Amino acid sequence: MSRSGKTLTKYKIVFLGEQGVGKTSLITRFMYDTFDDHYQATIGIDFLSKTMYLDDKTIRLQLWDTAGQERFRSLIPSYIRDSRVAIVVYDITKKESFDFIDKWINDVKNERGEDNVILCIVGNKNDLTDQRQVSIEEGENKAKQLGANIFMETSTKAGYNVKTLFKRIAKSLPEFQNSTSDPLSGDSKTTSDKNDANVGNDKAGIIDISTEEGQQQSGCQC
Amino acid sequence: MSKDETTIKKMLVDHKIDGPLAAKGFGPKYSLRSPSVPNLHAKVYTEYNMSDPTVGNATGGQGTSINEEDGTLSVIDMYGDDDNDIDDIVSSRAINLGSGNDDGNDADDLRSSTQSENIFNTTSINNSIDKPNGTGTGKNVQQDAQHNDRYGFKKQNNSISESDYDRWWLDYSKYCIRRKHKWQLLLEKSGLPIVDDSPIRFPPKSEKLKRYVRKGIPAEWRGNAWWYFARGQEKLNKHKGLYDKLLVKVDKMTSQNKNDKTYPDLDIIERDLNRTFPDNIHFQKEVFQNGEPPMIKSLRRVLVSFSLYNPKIGYCQSMNFIAGLLLLFLDEERAFWMLVIITSRYLPGVHDINLEGVNIDQGVLMLCVKEYLPEIWTYIYPNHSDTTVDTESNRRTMSSVPHKTQSSMMKNNFLYKLPPITLCTASWFMSCFIGVLPIETTLRIWDCMFYEESHFLFKASLSILKLSEHDLLKHTKKRYHSSSRLPYSITGSNHNSSGDLLNNKMHQDENDMEIFQVIQTFPKKLLNPNDIFDKIIFKKKFSFNRLDQEEIDRCRKYVTTQRNKYKRYVELIGNDDKTSEESSATLVNKENLDKTQDADDIINGALSSEVYGFKRNLTGVHWNNSLKEKVRQMKKKIDGDE
């Protein structure tokens, strides 16, 4: 399918959400499997791309990290416009960031139309249970109500559900439509899915998300 | 050494009493106006020294740096990124020798290098302020000293390894010593005093001084020099006591209710405080076991004060970095006023709520690229907008226009629908290159910005783009190794037209990404400021080096006008992406048809003046230097004929 890497199918993924909810952190966890307590605030837009390996297929993901502050929103539309996937992130310990996802989803729908985009809603900082302000159910309901394809809670700090998220996204892409059962079926499922453990060869520079991550550590050091 | 230590302790005590520390709000009253060079002389490392003897060397020097007459200190300490490392000792000796040879005056050299030690102090700034006991942190600090640069930033990042950094610093530190020596001579010659290694006045502007600034202001003088060149005192004098008044308000706001919803900026600022230079020791929590780092407290006060002072801007992400960097070099009150000056004089409108200023500056930058770096322009903005396909990929901030008028708008349409790359370059301006370039390079650009005004930011941007040409070529070649050098000129292939268009669009997108990636990554590797200066800025052959402030100001005005005209047009015609259905309905509506025609007239009027405007600019603003040259030659010829 990939002719010597030359014509890898590329998918543009845009990350949206309020300031400080963990967009950069989510990307960093996915790309490098690392975490810092604090990332520099993103100014404007950051672009990263990564080759991903799943089910014997290789695709190229282009990740667009955006600034969260409201005034930056005017700069972002064109990046939403061409995106195949939009990931709207909120912070489960900040109700406000949750309330804002309607706005972001609206932006996406305005730019992209409802059908052409895979919409994901992600509640991050799931490790901070004692500070939780938004319940999983609220998240699920909101996702249903807004017609999101994927809803998930993650913890970029604990590395929880991040790979799973990207795996589910990948499986929603046309590339994988034939090889899997309907990927959008388990929309509101939030627990880490420990299902299909695909065997994939590790290739240098390629993220193989076939293996499941299991650690669901807790406790915050801050 | 023991003498040094006594000095350190004494200094420490002094600073606790009447240094900037009290001014930082730790004393009962804010008195921020007092110290001349507050931050540079408040030393955190002195405390480290007391708590951990192994880091003594690095700090021992600092104590004496203020009155370094005896000059017994070893150079090792001055650039003491790494006290115990043998390599470093060797390299430091090399520094000593190197600078000795270069300057040919041992006494001076020793003095200059001793003072250069202060550079290291720059890192320490005011961190010592509320750290009641230094025990237990020594180890971390020692590590920091190894892995952090003289300002406290981590040497290593995604683009630069620590060994790369150390290798470069080995030479660059010698360069800094030499430059500082030259500055000292210049100031002496000009009869300006250098008290406590902290001059507050600088010579009048001249070509020579400009060159000196471009080669870098000594790090420990930077705060004062920026303040001087940006005429900060003038600003402060006009508003004496204002910052104190703001602080009283801020204090009330922040102490009473941090989640005050009536003041949304507060929460937004709060969320960014710990996301400002998290890799810089002065902004890190760990070192300060008792509560927040003072730097974070200062940052909060400056940002909240600013948002009160200028509600039109309030708080905009990226200002945290600007304020943070200022605080590394200036005391709080001066940092505040410099933030005011930067956001109004150097980056006008850039941080406004609608960010229009940043769009204007990107328009100006694009005009400059088109004019001065046509070879880069072909990457950034190939002819793809001439086709009818582009509507999807090409537009950025502004909405689409009806097809009729679209063709006539093509000429300058990149001013409204800025090329995708401008989202990358926008952050260059917003954060004034912080985080975009490595720190020494950023600081050098700041030096020049304060001395030469904002047009230098455009020069710097153009220089970076020019330097990235090689990478651009490499990347696009890799992808388009086939027929053409230019990324978008894939037209003329044998495909049927629709496939062709599709291909075109795909390639455009891919290429936009490639270019985006190059332009985003490339500057992060520009560790050595001299690369930009020696390879580009000091080279006469690059015509954009003739850009001056007047030209940029006019260009800004021009782009502003054009964008306003366009906006008025869009408003009138009611065509917006979000209302495209409605507007197509209104187009059918007869009544509105007239309106549309009016709008067409307006836009045509705007366009004709737009084209002319640009041409007028060409000659009037000396926009096109080659044209100017031609005119001059023609004149000469005519004169000669007569």
Side-chain angles (χ1 to χ4, degrees):
Chain A
M1 111 120 275
S2 58
R3 278 177 283 157
S4 69
K6 203 182 149 196
T7 47
L8 278 184
T9 319
K10 296 187 177 65
Y11 293 101
K12 196 163 164 182
I13 303 181
V14 66
F15 289 77
L16 304 166
E18 289 307 282
Q19 181 194 6
V21 295
K23 299 178 289 296
T24 307
S25 170
L26 194 60
I27 291 175
T28 313
R29 176 57 90 179
F30 172 57
M31 296 272 294
Y32 313 107
D33 202 21
T34 57
F35 175 82
D36 270 328
D37 266 327
H38 297 294
Y39 288 94
Q40 297 228 138
T42 308
I43 307 301
I45 286 205
D46 266 350
F47 171 70
L48 295 99
S49 80
K50 195 79 186 170
T51 305
M52 186 168 136
Y53 180 83
L54 178 67
D55 289 358
D56 286 329
K57 284 178 180 146
T58 310
I59 54 171
R60 189 102 175 137
L61 297 181
Q62 300 174 321
L63 311 174
W64 294 89
D65 191 9
T66 64
Q69 198 185 0
E70 196 165 0
R71 66 184 69 181
F72 284 85
R73 203 172 286 185
S74 66
L75 302 177
I76 298 170
S78 60
Y79 287 82
I80 297 175
R81 194 171 294 127
D82 300 332
S83 294
R84 197 68 190 75
V85 182
I87 301 179
V88 181
V89 187
Y90 68 92
D91 173 354
I92 65 149
T93 70
K94 285 230 164 64
K95 181 77 166 61
E96 221 184 340
S97 71
F98 181 69
D99 297 337
F100 263 103
I101 59 180
D102 298 71
K103 276 194 184 179
W104 288 109
I105 297 276
N106 264 339
D107 279 5
V108 174
K109 286 179 178 168
N110 279 337
E111 296 296 333
R112 203 65 179 85
E114 300 230 10
D115 305 324
N116 301 320
V117 65
I118 296 167
L119 262 181
C120 311
I121 294 178
V122 171
N124 192 32
K125 307 196 187 178
N126 149 294
D127 52 293
L128 302 174
T129 37
D130 52 332
Q131 296 168 47
R132 183 187 278 276
Q133 289 182 5
V134 183
S135 71
I136 296 181
E137 291 71 33
E138 283 175 280
E140 283 173 351
N141 289 338
K142 177 90 93 179
K144 263 182 208 154
Q145 172 207 328
L146 294 172
N149 305 86
I150 293 172
F151 169 76
M152 238 184 215
E153 279 197 359
T154 58
S155 163
T156 51
K157 185 168 189 167
Y160 167 72
N161 254 354
V162 176
K163 275 186 188 170
T164 315
L165 169 71
F166 281 92
K167 190 171 166 186
R168 285 181 65 185
I169 290 169
K171 294 216 163 181
S172 311
L173 296 169
E175 202 90 359
F176 296 92
Q177 285 302 283
N178 301 329
S179 59
T180 47
S181 55
D182 182 13
L184 307 184
S185 57
D187 278 347
S188 49
K189 199 166 125 206
T190 49
T191 47
S192 73
D193 15 39
K194 301 232 175 200
N195 45 12
D196 51 321
N198 297 293
V199 188
N201 304 325
D202 261 314
K203 294 182 184 177
I206 295 177
I207 286 187
D208 178 3
I209 56 165
S210 305
T211 43
E212 285 297 331
E213 74 228 274
Q215 5 60 307
Q216 190 179 344
Q217 71 191 56
S218 60
C220 63
Q221 295 129 25
C222 44
Chain B
M1 206 58 217
S2 63
K3 187 188 159 199
D4 293 342
E5 269 168 23
T6 334
T7 326
I8 297 157
K9 279 181 188 158
K10 185 174 171 299
M11 270 180 50
L12 201 65
V13 172
D14 287 350
H15 279 287
K16 281 258 154 89
I17 295 164
D18 61 14
L21 316 180
K24 293 286 171 189
F26 298 98
K29 265 217 153 197
Y30 308 113
S31 60
L32 289 147
R33 265 158 279 116
S34 44
S36 54
V37 190
N39 286 338
L40 297 180
H41 296 312
K43 319 229 172 354
V44 68
Y45 278 81
T46 48
E47 294 198 32
Y48 299 158
N49 182 29
M50 299 194 313
S51 65
D52 186 340
T54 56
V55 291
N57 283 345
T59 59
Q62 288 186 349
T64 48
S65 62
I66 282 175
N67 61 44
E68 74 300 306
E69 287 333 297
D70 52 7
T72 53
L73 289 155
S74 137
V75 194
I76 299 166
D77 306 332
M78 334 236 162
Y79 286 81
D81 300 320
D82 186 356
D83 323 279
N84 300 323
D85 195 70
I86 291 172
D87 281 353
D88 206 58
I89 293 170
V90 173
S91 69
S92 309
R93 280 199 188 121
I95 293 171
N96 204 355
L97 282 174
S99 47
N101 288 339
D102 283 342
D103 295 325
N105 182 334
D106 273 340
D108 270 358
D109 184 41
L110 189 56
R111 186 157 136 231
S112 81
S113 36
T114 316
Q115 287 179 344
S116 300
E117 192 171 8
N118 270 348
I119 292 169
F120 195 40
N121 299 355
T122 316
T123 71
S124 20
I125 317 279
N126 50 12
N127 284 354
S128 54
I129 298 159
D130 71 353
K131 186 169 150 255
N133 74 64
T135 49
T137 58
K139 268 229 163 94
N140 286 338
V141 169
Q142 191 183 12
Q143 275 171 9
D144 283 341
Q146 262 176 34
H147 302 301
N148 292 54
D149 67 14
R150 53 177 172 166
Y151 311 104
F153 292 99
K154 231 190 191 141
K155 293 173 183 173
Q156 186 184 355
N157 58 42
N158 285 339
S159 314
I160 294 159
S161 72
E162 195 173 311
S163 58
D164 280 349
Y165 184 96
D166 288 334
R167 212 172 305 129
W168 161 76
W169 178 244
L170 192 62
D171 284 333
Y172 193 73
S173 53
K174 291 181 218 161
Y175 170 85
C176 290
I177 293 171
R178 283 202 303 275
R179 292 312 308 169
K180 176 150 187 191
H181 184 63
K182 300 220 174 208
W183 273 91
Q184 285 166 331
L185 291 177
L186 180 71
L187 261 64
E188 267 168 37
K189 246 191 197 166
S190 316
L192 296 166
I194 308 175
V195 182
D196 283 354
D197 190 32
S198 167
I200 50 167
R201 284 176 55 221
F202 293 84
K205 289 197 173 183
S206 68
E207 277 304 307
K208 185 178 184 183
L209 188 60
K210 184 167 104 182
R211 202 174 62 244
Y212 270 52
V213 171
R214 284 178 169 195
K215 291 186 173 188
I217 298 170
E220 54 277 59
W221 295 4
R222 271 196 166 111
N224 283 349
W226 293 349
W227 182 249
Y228 184 82
F229 293 135
R231 306 190 299 280
Q233 196 60 42
E234 214 174 278
K235 189 91 185 170
L236 192 151
N237 288 343
K238 271 188 207 154
H239 304 276
K240 274 220 160 119
L242 183 59
Y243 188 63
D244 286 347
K245 278 181 201 154
L246 286 168
L247 279 187
V248 174
K249 272 191 203 168
V250 171
D251 218 26
K252 256 188 204 156
M253 285 168 65
T254 49
S255 65
Q256 280 172 359
N257 187 3
K258 285 205 174 182
N259 295 320
D260 190 357
K261 291 276 186 283
T262 58
Y263 201 72
D265 277 345
L266 213 58
D267 178 49
I268 297 173
I269 290 169
E270 208 58 43
R271 274 188 270 169
D272 273 356
L273 292 177
N274 290 317
R275 307 202 299 147
T276 308
F277 303 137
D279 69 330
N280 185 301
I281 49 166
H282 307 301
F283 290 82
Q284 283 165 359
K285 218 172 202 159
E286 290 89 320
V287 186
F288 305 91
Q289 290 160 331
N290 296 21
E292 274 182 321
M295 202 53 128
I296 297 288
K297 290 180 180 168
S298 288
L299 186 62
R300 176 186 293 113
R301 285 194 295 265
V302 169
L303 291 174
V304 177
S305 301
F306 182 91
S307 76
L308 292 172
Y309 173 80
N310 188 342
K312 207 178 133 206
I313 292 177
Y315 170 71
C316 176
Q317 287 195 298
S318 72
M319 281 165 51
N320 56 327
F321 295 119
I322 295 176
L325 192 63
L326 288 169
L327 282 168
L328 283 172
F329 292 89
L330 289 154
D331 63 279
E332 215 180 286
E333 183 174 34
R334 294 199 296 170
F336 169 80
W337 286 112
M338 285 298 269
L339 184 63
V340 170
I341 290 170
I342 290 172
T343 51
S344 55
R345 193 188 306 155
Y346 300 107
L347 298 166
V350 162
H351 301 94
D352 279 11
I353 287 181
N354 61 9
L355 299 185
E356 180 60 7
V358 89
N359 288 327
I360 290 167
D361 277 356
Q362 297 317 295
V364 173
L365 181 64
M366 291 302 109
L367 274 175
C368 292
V369 174
K370 190 180 177 208
E371 175 67 22
Y372 292 110
L373 299 173
E375 65 281 12
I376 306 285
W377 183 244
T378 55
Y379 290 106
I380 293 178
Y381 199 75
N383 303 321
H384 58 345
S385 54
D386 291 347
T387 66
T388 44
V389 235
D390 84 304
T391 42
E392 268 271 20
S393 67
N394 188 31
R395 57 196 171 181
R396 168 138 112 48
T397 51
M398 298 300 292
S399 51
S400 68
V401 224
H403 269 279
K404 265 198 292 181
T405 49
Q406 195 150 16
S407 59
S408 52
M409 295 197 67
M410 281 311 168
K411 285 254 154 66
N412 262 353
N413 107 354
F414 62 88
L415 292 182
Y416 329 109
K417 302 169 192 169
L418 293 159
I421 192 60
T422 53
L423 251 189
C424 180
T425 50
S427 64
W428 297 6
F429 284 74
M430 297 200 75
S431 59
C432 221
F433 292 104
I434 301 169
V436 174
L437 294 164
I439 188 66
E440 286 291 346
T441 313
T442 305
L443 291 168
R444 188 78 77 81
I445 289 176
W446 279 45
D447 292 345
C448 298
M449 174 179 78
F450 291 124
Y451 186 86
E452 300 185 43
E453 304 285 310
S454 63
H455 82 279
F456 194 85
L457 296 174
F458 293 90
K459 271 186 192 166
S461 303
L462 292 167
S463 305
I464 295 168
L465 289 171
K466 182 65 191 168
L467 284 170
S468 74
E469 188 179 11
H470 179 71
D471 283 21
L472 280 175
L473 193 68
K474 205 167 59 188
H475 278 258
T476 45
K477 251 199 181 153
K478 202 171 60 188
R479 187 164 298 282
Y480 301 94
H481 50 87
S482 52
S483 53
S484 56
R485 192 182 79 93
L486 297 185
Y488 290 80
S489 52
I490 321 156
T491 47
S493 60
N494 295 329
H495 303 318
N496 62 53
S497 63
S498 70
D500 206 22
L501 293 181
L502 200 73
N503 264 343
N504 234 341
K505 171 157 171 25
M506 253 179 60
H507 283 290
Q508 273 171 31
D509 277 358
E510 277 180 30
N511 210 69
D512 281 348
M513 308 242 176
E514 289 284 346
I515 288 166
F516 198 101
Q517 184 124 63
V518 172
I519 305 279
Q520 180 184 276
T521 321
F522 177 78
K524 299 195 197 303
K525 293 181 284 190
L526 287 171
L527 185 59
N528 188 354
N530 288 337
D531 278 350
I532 292 182
F533 285 82
D534 294 344
K535 288 181 187 164
I536 308 276
I537 301 275
F538 285 128
K539 288 271 190 296
K540 283 213 172 100
K541 68 173 175 185
F542 295 108
S543 48
F544 62 77
N545 282 327
R546 273 168 277 178
L547 270 172
D548 57 19
Q549 191 58 37
E550 191 195 359
E551 207 161 282
I552 289 296
D553 286 344
R554 281 201 222 187
C555 204
R556 269 176 170 159
K557 239 179 236 165
Y558 166 75
V559 174
T560 310
T561 318
Q562 292 308 313
R563 286 182 60 92
N564 281 339
K565 273 180 190 164
Y566 179 82
K567 243 178 267 169
R568 242 180 322 183
Y569 162 73
V570 171
E571 272 164 27
L572 209 73
I573 205 150
N575 188 320
D576 195 72
D577 282 353
K578 283 166 195 159
T579 57
S580 58
E581 275 174 43
E582 295 161 42
S583 67
S584 60
T586 52
L587 279 173
V588 192
N589 186 318
K590 263 215 160 170
E591 211 178 323
N592 282 317
L593 205 63
D594 294 337
K595 202 178 153 192
T596 314
Q597 264 163 4
D598 282 349
D600 268 351
D601 286 347
I602 287 176
I603 196 64
N604 280 332
L607 287 168
S608 55
S609 79
E610 176 189 335
V611 176
Y612 272 121
F614 189 65
K615 277 183 182 161
R616 264 204 304 275
N617 269 1
L618 284 181
T619 49
V621 187
H622 317 307
W623 187 253
N624 184 334
N625 290 296
S626 62
L627 207 68
K628 198 175 124 193
E629 187 54 34
K630 265 182 202 158
V631 171
R632 198 180 293 143
Q633 280 170 357
M634 274 166 64
K635 258 189 179 168
K636 239 184 187 172
K637 210 178 163 191
I638 292 167
D639 289 349
D641 287 350
E642 280 170 355

